[in-house]
Amino acid sequence: FSVIKPWFFPDEPEPPDPQSNAESTPGKSALERKDYGIQLFESGRAADGLLELKEVVKDQPENVELRRTYASLLRRAKQPDRAIYQYRVVLRFQPRDSMARMGLAHAFADKDERQKAVELCEEIMAEQAGAELVAQATELHAKLRSVPG
């Protein structure tokens, strides 16, 4: 694992999120609330699902799996700044988390911050982080290298 780059970690507050009409589901377990948020997101109520997950993350700020899920859905919702923030928080807790670094690489690519994405892909490929992640990193790396600019 190479030296952690300064841009890995958030040095600003989390970017604002869009408004939502969802009501949180207090009294349920974090897992139930996470699953409910994902269900809302997948059923076309992305803003409501993201709001639910945001509330669960607030309740369990050190749960890296939950944050990784939240970041992934933020990225799918075309909110790369918020996804980057969440992936960076995961990496603050677990700097060697290859899934978070791969998600961060994708989010940087979404923002056209190719150099950061390329560096992350190269690290994942070099450390052989697992066949699926290495394949994803190799594919993204090739795609980013083939685009001029």
Side-chain angles (χ1 to χ4, degrees):
F1 183 67
S2 66
V3 175
I4 295 175
K5 311 285 189 284
W7 44 260
F8 261 26
F9 299 115
D11 53 359
E12 314 176 338
E14 180 179 7
D17 63 333
Q19 295 294 323
S20 173
N21 295 325
E23 297 209 8
S24 186
T25 53
K28 296 192 181 263
S29 73
L31 179 59
E32 290 172 318
R33 292 174 62 202
K34 172 188 162 194
D35 290 345
Y36 179 64
I38 293 169
Q39 180 183 22
L40 287 170
F41 186 92
E42 298 293 346
S43 68
R45 294 177 56 194
D48 294 339
L50 290 173
L51 181 62
E52 183 67 28
L53 285 167
K54 179 180 179 178
E55 293 302 314
V56 181
V57 166
K58 271 197 234 177
D59 292 343
Q60 296 195 355
E62 295 182 15
N63 184 327
V64 294
E65 180 186 343
L66 178 59
R67 275 192 190 273
R68 218 183 300 114
T69 299
Y70 181 42
S72 174
L73 294 181
L74 286 166
R75 201 182 139 254
R76 286 178 52 197
K78 310 277 190 249
Q79 297 181 37
D81 289 326
R82 293 181 65 217
I84 287 168
Y85 179 87
Q86 292 300 327
Y87 283 126
R88 286 175 164 174
V89 173
V90 169
L91 291 168
R92 188 175 294 256
F93 288 113
Q94 294 184 356
R96 299 183 60 86
D97 187 318
S98 296
M99 288 189 300
R101 286 187 290 136
M102 190 68 240
L104 184 59
H106 278 289
F108 279 132
D110 294 343
K111 284 191 61 176
D112 204 28
E113 293 186 29
R114 287 185 285 199
Q115 187 57 41
K116 291 176 182 177
V118 165
E119 288 178 29
L120 286 163
C121 289
E122 289 173 351
E123 288 179 11
I124 292 166
M125 293 183 305
E127 65 190 38
Q128 297 293 310
E132 185 178 333
L133 284 174
V134 170
Q136 286 180 34
T138 303
E139 181 180 342
L140 180 59
H141 186 269
K143 178 181 171 186
L144 292 168
R145 289 291 192 190
S146 69
V147 176

